[in-house]
């Protein structure tokens, strides 16, 4: 992997951010170039023998550019915000890989609203007023939930939660349908589901 430039110090970063906000596109290029080391660091956790590192860096750089464009200096450090956006861009790539059997989509149905209209996870947790920062944080939250489902739940709890909420490619179904599929009572499914959700809340 090629060597990347050293990151800007806080004063330099503030200077180029101000320049960019004043319309200097060259300042944006500097901010991107001097944060490419952050991209390289983050993409390492997504690397597999099947994935080209240069492709991952290109995708992560898209997230970095979005971060630079939308960053508000009053909200903290650019690197912290950019890391979330880079992660978000790479997570979107993972969801787009159809060959992955454990693919997760924000658009998978999770139930219906009061009017009987089908709703997805996207409908519940993203609104038009959400900023890019919110969406980046959201992607991290979703990844954390899925990680907890895999790490903290028993095999039976995980199976029920995935079936009930349509996770990891499962179709969302009712407690009664889960009970019929697994050959247990609906009340037993309900107890396991509540216990599993409590575990997730505690670890969150």
């Amino acid at each position: 992997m090629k060597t990347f430039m050293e990151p800007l110090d806080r004063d330099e970063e503030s200077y180029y951010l101000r320049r960019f906000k004043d319309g200097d596109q060259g300042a944006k290029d500097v901010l991107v170039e001097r944060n490419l080391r952050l991209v390289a660091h983050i993409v390492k956790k997504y690397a597999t023998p099947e994935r080209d590192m240069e492709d991952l860096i290109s995708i992560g750089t898209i997230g970095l550019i979005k971060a630079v464009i939308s960053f508000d200096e009053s909200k903290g450090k650019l690197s912290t915000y950019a890391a979330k956006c880079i992660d978000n861009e790479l997570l979107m790539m993972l969801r787009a890989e159809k060959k992955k059997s454990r693919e997760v989509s924000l658009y998978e149905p999770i139930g219906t609203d009061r009017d009987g209209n089908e709703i997805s996870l996207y409908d519940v947790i993203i609104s038009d007023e959400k900023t890019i920062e919110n969406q980046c944080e959201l992607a991290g939250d979703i990844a954390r939930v899925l990680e907890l489902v895999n790490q903290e739940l028993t095999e039976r709890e995980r199976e029920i939660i995935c079936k009930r909420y349509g996770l990891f490619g499962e179709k969302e179904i009712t407690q009664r349908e889960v009970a019929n599929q697994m050959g247990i009572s609906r009340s037993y499914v309900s107890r396991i589901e509540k216990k599993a959700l409590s575990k997730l809340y505690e670890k969150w």
Side-chain angles (χ1 to χ4, degrees):
M1 188 183 297
K2 65 181 180 180
T3 302
F4 297 102
M5 299 176 66
E6 290 290 330
L8 299 167
D9 62 33
R10 193 61 184 265
D11 290 339
E12 291 173 326
E13 181 179 287
S14 294
Y15 170 75
Y16 284 106
L17 283 169
R18 288 195 300 271
R19 291 278 301 273
F20 173 53
K21 296 303 180 185
D22 289 338
D24 184 348
Q25 293 301 307
K28 182 190 74 173
D29 295 339
V30 172
L31 289 164
V32 172
E33 289 173 2
R34 299 292 287 271
N35 279 283
L36 285 174
R37 180 171 291 190
L38 174 64
V39 175
H41 174 71
I42 292 174
V43 301
K44 288 179 182 179
K45 65 182 178 181
Y46 296 92
T48 68
E50 295 77 26
R51 294 195 185 106
D52 184 81
M53 284 297 293
E54 292 299 323
D55 289 343
L56 290 176
I57 289 174
S58 295
I59 294 167
T61 301
I62 293 172
L64 172 60
I65 293 170
K66 291 180 179 178
V68 170
I69 291 173
S70 61
F71 180 63
D72 181 348
E73 193 172 4
S74 68
K75 295 182 179 179
K77 295 177 62 177
L78 173 61
S79 60
T80 302
Y81 175 58
K84 296 174 182 177
C85 292
I86 294 165
D87 262 321
N88 184 55
E89 205 67 32
L90 290 161
L91 285 168
M92 287 195 294
M93 173 206 70
L94 292 179
R95 291 197 295 271
E97 291 181 346
K98 299 300 182 182
K99 63 181 180 180
K100 288 290 185 180
S101 60
R102 296 171 74 82
E103 178 187 347
V104 179
S105 172
L106 288 177
Y107 298 94
E108 290 177 359
I110 60 172
T112 57
D113 61 19
R114 292 180 180 179
D115 297 322
N117 300 311
E118 187 175 81
I119 56 174
S120 66
L121 188 58
Y122 185 91
D123 296 321
V124 174
I125 51 185
I126 295 184
S127 66
D128 292 338
E129 292 74 27
K130 293 288 186 180
T131 63
I132 292 177
E133 179 179 8
N134 295 142
Q135 295 180 35
C136 292
E137 291 175 349
L138 169 64
D141 289 344
I142 293 173
R144 174 61 174 159
V145 168
L146 298 176
E147 179 183 25
L148 290 175
V149 167
N150 277 327
Q151 291 182 353
E152 303 297 334
L153 303 185
T154 65
E155 184 176 348
R156 172 160 283 191
E157 289 169 344
R158 185 164 54 249
E159 182 178 3
I160 288 175
I161 289 298
C162 289
K163 289 180 182 295
R164 285 286 293 117
Y165 296 96
L167 303 180
F168 298 124
E170 291 278 359
K171 180 182 178 181
E172 181 262 334
I173 57 178
T174 65
Q175 288 183 350
R176 189 172 301 281
E177 289 171 322
V178 173
N180 290 338
Q181 286 187 10
M182 299 180 66
I184 55 180
S185 68
R186 190 204 62 77
S187 60
Y188 189 35
V189 170
S190 178
R191 288 198 299 273
I192 295 175
E193 181 182 340
K194 289 178 181 178
K195 182 179 179 182
L197 291 175
S198 294
K199 283 185 179 181
L200 297 177
Y201 286 135
E202 288 173 3
K203 292 296 181 179
W204 186 264

